[in-house]
Amino acid sequence: KKTVFFNWIVPNKWKIKSLPLSEWKKLEHAIYQFTNFKKIYWQRKNDSMENYFKKIKNSHVVVSIVGFGCHIAMLFNKPLILLRGPTFFNEAKLYKNAIILKPETFCKIHSRKLNVYSKNCDCMKRIKYKTILKILKKY
């Protein structure tokens, strides 16, 4: 039974690096409709560390914003679709099982410098669920 893990929760301080929940929901619906994945594990705010690790370990593919889940996916050598917007860590480029998705264009602030807080950032809204789905169909 093929599974996907959604690592989507971000700290309030970094809300700008979150993909809108509406895009995650569209992706969930499309995965069930158009791929052979049978189960999606969602990151939950109340997940214990043990449960969080277990979900990632038991998933075939991890879809993640830039966050802790990326590192855990790499630890377990899982295919990773990394949704990179206004933040990034260069080590991800070294991970051979990562596909790094970024917006075609960044917002005005982040086109000049990443890892900067900005309330006017819409970088992550520029990554569409259809792009993620297209990659998932290859697994």
Side-chain angles (χ1 to χ4, degrees):
K1 182 159 123 167
K2 290 181 72 171
T3 58
V4 177
F5 178 73
F6 285 172
N7 189 70
W8 69 284
I9 299 173
V10 298
N12 283 333
K13 181 179 179 181
W14 280 105
K15 281 292 183 193
I16 62 169
K17 69 178 186 176
S18 65
L19 187 71
L21 181 58
S22 60
E23 291 298 301
W24 288 104
K25 293 286 189 178
K26 289 176 192 173
L27 178 60
E28 176 185 42
H29 179 73
I31 286 171
Y32 287 133
Q33 191 172 10
F34 300 113
T35 74
N36 59 356
F37 287 96
K38 302 297 180 199
K39 177 79 176 155
I40 297 171
Y41 296 114
W42 284 78
Q43 177 189 15
R44 304 278 182 221
K45 288 182 182 181
N46 61 347
D47 275 341
S48 67
M49 204 49 85
E50 179 183 3
N51 195 32
Y52 182 65
F53 275 62
K54 187 177 178 181
K55 286 178 181 179
I56 294 172
K57 184 178 181 181
N58 292 333
S59 295
H60 289 88
V61 179
V62 174
V63 180
S64 181
I65 49 86
V66 174
F68 187 56
C70 297
H71 302 284
I72 305 308
M74 292 162 68
L75 173 73
F76 289 122
N77 199 32
K78 296 294 177 178
L80 171 65
I81 300 173
L82 177 56
L83 310 178
R84 171 205 164 179
T87 63
F88 189 58
F89 62 106
N90 281 330
E91 296 85 4
K93 292 178 183 175
L94 302 174
Y95 183 55
K96 65 179 172 58
N97 283 332
I99 295 174
I100 302 167
L101 283 182
K102 62 181 182 178
E104 287 185 26
T105 58
F106 286 92
C107 71
K108 193 173 186 179
I109 301 287
H110 295 111
S111 62
R112 293 189 301 274
K113 185 175 181 185
L114 294 179
N115 302 326
V116 174
Y117 298 108
S118 172
K119 292 181 181 178
N120 299 320
C121 175
D122 68 349
C123 292
M124 292 302 284
K125 291 179 182 173
R126 299 173 188 209
I127 298 174
K128 301 298 179 198
Y129 81 93
K130 289 181 180 179
T131 308
I132 303 165
L133 181 65
K134 188 182 292 186
I135 294 167
L136 280 171
K137 285 182 176 182
K138 297 177 183 177
Y139 289 99

